[in-house]
Amino acid sequence: MTLWSGRFNESMDETLWNLSESFSFDHVLYAYDIEGSKAHAAGLAKVGLLSAEEFATISSGLERVAAEFAANTFVRSEVDEDIHMAIERRLTELIGEPGRKLHTSRSRNDQVATTLRLFTRDAVGQVSQAVLGLVDALIAKGAEYPQAVLPGYTHLQRAQPVLLTHHLNAHALGLLRDVDRIIDARHRMNVSPLGAGALAGTSLPIDPNFTASQMDFESAFINSIDAVSDRDFVAESLFALAMCGVHLSRIGEELVLWTTQEFDFASLSDAFTTGSSMLPHKKNSDVAELARGKSGRLVGNLTSVLVMLKGLPFSYNRDLQEDKEPLFDSVRTVLLVVHSLTGAIATMTMNTMRMESSASDELLVAIDIAEALVADGVAFRDAHALAGQLVGRAVAEGRALSVVVGEDPEFAKFLFLFDDRGALNRRTSQGSSGPESADHQAKQIAELIDSARRRLAKGAKP
Ligand code: ARG
């Protein structure tokens, strides 16, 4: 007999039970559901719907149920449809009559919305901390090689030399935006739906603001239908996680490239590489490939929740139960990827000689010839064409660009542009890849990291 079976004569068909039960995956919410139930019980006690004694008995009973889950000794009963029913059933077994009062003025509809918000608020906080750890690792890796240069690419063709720090900072900035987005989303989700009941509230004298503050929500719901129907916070979190996953996959792709024999810019430590079952010499960058590959399911999880929500009539519909597995999966996946990428990057060695030699490709100086002509008053389009002709000649004749430039009476004065690191040092514009901008960028990024950590700590539950 389930807790709701009063009006039914027949028990549920097994096939429907298998379709409908969610305990098998929502049991991970136990701590959040118990937190919500404690707040709810405190609210009932405050308005006299529970006596002080009943409240104390319920609170300690809930603690006992939590302890069983924590110790892995909780035994699921065959009537436990979901985590909410399971906890209430066990509570009542443990404490008797007062347990039967806990669900007063509450529905699973406001309960599950509350529980899931508590979970999500916590989970996205953990993800943000982890992502900031990866940002730290990227910055620290750059700091190990402050002078290292590599070619910057467009279309995966060598374009202009850049500092390694500049390249790693660009990845860090994407991740910092992810954290920013998550913190914004966390603010919007920080509203308590508890007290909305099934969809329309209750005739009993409850105080949703009080229960909201018990759970450190910033406010309580404004509209009971919205409270039980809204899963924006799930979709928004899944988007932030998917976007982060896309950033992680772009880092992954570059690590895959950098660790090939062809690029040979970096090597991962043994602890973060895998071998081949057949080829004894292989050292594979699976960590980077998985960072790339896992992003697919993150995008899929977002899509599945958006499609599930689309067209749902108000208010609660059972479809909403489908919000959980994608959310759990995305949180777990991002944490797995972020933690291993952090370790892989922290222990990665850069082959600075090889990066430098690729960055010293003379053709990368072509733009400096064009810009030097502009400084002499030539229109950029003409300058571009002149520099392009020099490159064309060098390539066609199979000679170094500096040789072609040096031989040309008109351009020989630009030979100094080929000086070691000249091209890099000439990048002086704001936010550019040159050394002058590097210090400023480092300060700006350090400020962003600090402010993300401050915002994160501020909204977090103690
Ligand atoms: N397990 C359900 C869910 O995840 C809880 C809410 C059930 N409510 C209901 N009216 N059947 O959404």
Side-chain angles (χ1 to χ4, degrees):
M1 286 265 273
T2 58
L3 295 180
W4 44 254
S5 55
R7 65 160 285 178
F8 293 85
N9 298 319
E10 259 185 287
S11 59
M12 191 191 286
D13 189 87
E14 194 187 332
T15 57
L16 173 57
W17 178 261
N18 293 338
L19 173 68
S20 157
E21 73 81 28
S22 56
F23 184 92
S24 52
F25 53 86
D26 67 14
H27 63 92
V28 299
L29 295 172
Y30 78 85
Y32 303 97
D33 199 61
I34 285 174
E35 183 184 350
S37 283
K38 278 189 184 163
H40 180 61
L44 293 178
K46 177 174 177 270
V47 299
L49 287 165
L50 287 178
S51 69
E53 202 189 332
E54 284 168 332
F55 171 51
T57 310
I58 288 175
S59 290
S60 66
L62 286 168
E63 299 278 356
R64 285 171 65 190
V65 179
E68 289 184 1
F69 273 102
N72 236 337
T73 56
F74 183 90
V75 183
R76 180 185 180 181
S77 146
E78 58 182 11
V79 297
D80 292 344
E81 188 177 64
D82 57 22
I83 184 64
H84 322 292
M85 297 299 224
I87 289 170
E88 192 186 330
R89 191 262 314 149
R90 180 65 182 140
L91 175 74
T92 309
E93 255 171 36
L94 287 171
I95 66 167
E97 215 39 38
R100 302 181 60 77
K101 292 194 173 177
L102 174 62
H103 211 52
T104 307
S105 80
R106 184 175 72 169
S107 155
R108 268 186 299 163
N109 300 350
D110 59 342
Q111 183 179 1
V112 69
T114 306
T115 300
L116 198 60
R117 277 177 196 255
L118 290 171
F119 166 84
T120 311
R121 183 176 72 178
D122 204 17
V124 296
Q126 285 171 31
V127 169
S128 300
Q129 297 288 5
V131 172
L132 287 174
L134 174 56
V135 169
D136 288 342
L138 287 164
I139 303 300
K141 190 50 52 179
E144 266 178 54
Y145 303 94
Q147 307 298 332
V149 183
L150 74 162
Y153 295 83
T154 61
H155 315 275
L156 210 51
Q157 306 283 340
R158 288 176 189 164
Q160 291 182 284
V162 300
L163 285 171
L164 175 67
T165 53
H166 195 62
H167 194 103
L168 296 178
N169 285 348
H171 283 306
L173 283 163
L175 296 172
L176 283 166
R177 282 193 296 278
D178 293 328
V179 173
D180 204 44
R181 235 184 308 274
I182 288 174
I183 299 174
D184 287 347
R186 195 178 64 168
H187 164 69
R188 269 185 294 282
M189 80 178 68
N190 213 0
V191 177
S192 173
L194 190 62
L199 81 159
T202 171
S203 61
L204 297 167
I206 56 164
D207 182 355
N209 291 329
F210 173 76
T211 51
S213 72
Q214 289 289 102
M215 294 178 281
D216 287 326
F217 280 117
E218 285 170 22
S219 59
F221 65 95
I222 290 176
N223 175 298
S224 61
I225 292 181
D226 182 45
V228 298
S229 315
D230 169 30
R231 293 295 184 276
D232 293 6
F233 68 100
V234 176
E236 213 179 337
S237 301
L238 287 174
F239 171 72
L241 294 169
M243 191 71 247
C244 181
V246 167
H247 288 141
L248 298 171
S249 85
R250 294 178 76 169
I251 296 175
E253 168 62 3
E254 287 193 343
L255 291 187
V256 169
L257 287 174
W258 286 5
T259 55
T260 57
Q261 279 86 45
E262 284 70 15
F263 270 80
D264 194 21
F265 287 177
S267 55
L268 297 174
S269 64
D270 282 0
F272 285 94
T273 42
T274 50
S276 153
S277 61
M278 177 169 169
L279 309 175
H281 70 285
K282 289 299 289 293
K283 181 176 163 184
N284 295 328
S285 306
D286 294 27
V287 60
E289 293 167 50
L290 285 166
R292 193 176 57 189
K294 294 274 186 193
S295 59
R297 64 201 284 163
L298 298 172
V299 176
N301 289 337
L302 168 64
T303 308
S304 88
V305 165
L306 285 175
V307 174
M308 178 275 284
L309 290 173
K310 177 194 166 300
L312 270 194
F314 281 156
S315 59
Y316 178 85
N317 300 273
R318 194 60 178 278
D319 314 44
L320 290 171
Q321 182 167 290
E322 289 297 302
D323 57 3
K324 286 171 207 65
E325 286 164 292
L327 180 64
F328 298 162
D329 183 68
S330 285
V331 169
R332 180 174 168 275
T333 301
V334 169
L335 285 173
L336 279 172
V337 172
V338 168
H339 286 140
S340 0
L341 263 191
T342 304
I345 287 169
T347 57
M348 161 175 90
T349 316
M350 302 308 296
N351 185 350
T352 51
M353 304 264 281
R354 172 77 184 182
M355 291 180 344
E356 176 106 35
S357 80
S358 303
S360 340
D361 181 338
E362 287 199 343
L363 296 186
L364 276 51
V365 175
I367 178 63
D368 295 274
I369 298 173
E371 288 185 352
L373 286 165
V374 167
D376 281 355
V378 180
F380 179 72
R381 271 291 145 244
D382 299 326
H384 183 285
L386 289 168
Q389 282 157 19
L390 291 169
V391 169
R393 223 192 299 159
V395 171
E397 294 169 8
R399 295 191 305 155
L401 182 62
S402 58
V403 173
V404 173
V405 168
E407 281 175 7
D408 192 311
E410 212 184 317
F411 295 107
K413 62 178 175 180
F414 294 139
L415 252 190
F416 76 95
L417 293 173
F418 292 87
D419 287 355
D420 190 31
R421 291 195 169 225
L424 186 79
N425 293 335
R426 276 187 295 278
R427 305 277 164 260
T428 49
S429 60
Q430 182 179 325
S432 65
S433 62
E436 260 181 50
S437 139
D439 289 346
H440 185 51
Q441 267 187 61
K443 279 197 203 86
Q444 288 179 303
I445 291 177
E447 275 166 27
L448 287 177
I449 296 173
D450 273 3
S451 109
R453 287 217 155 89
R454 274 198 307 275
R455 281 182 76 198
L456 208 51
K458 219 169 102 206
K461 272 192 37 92

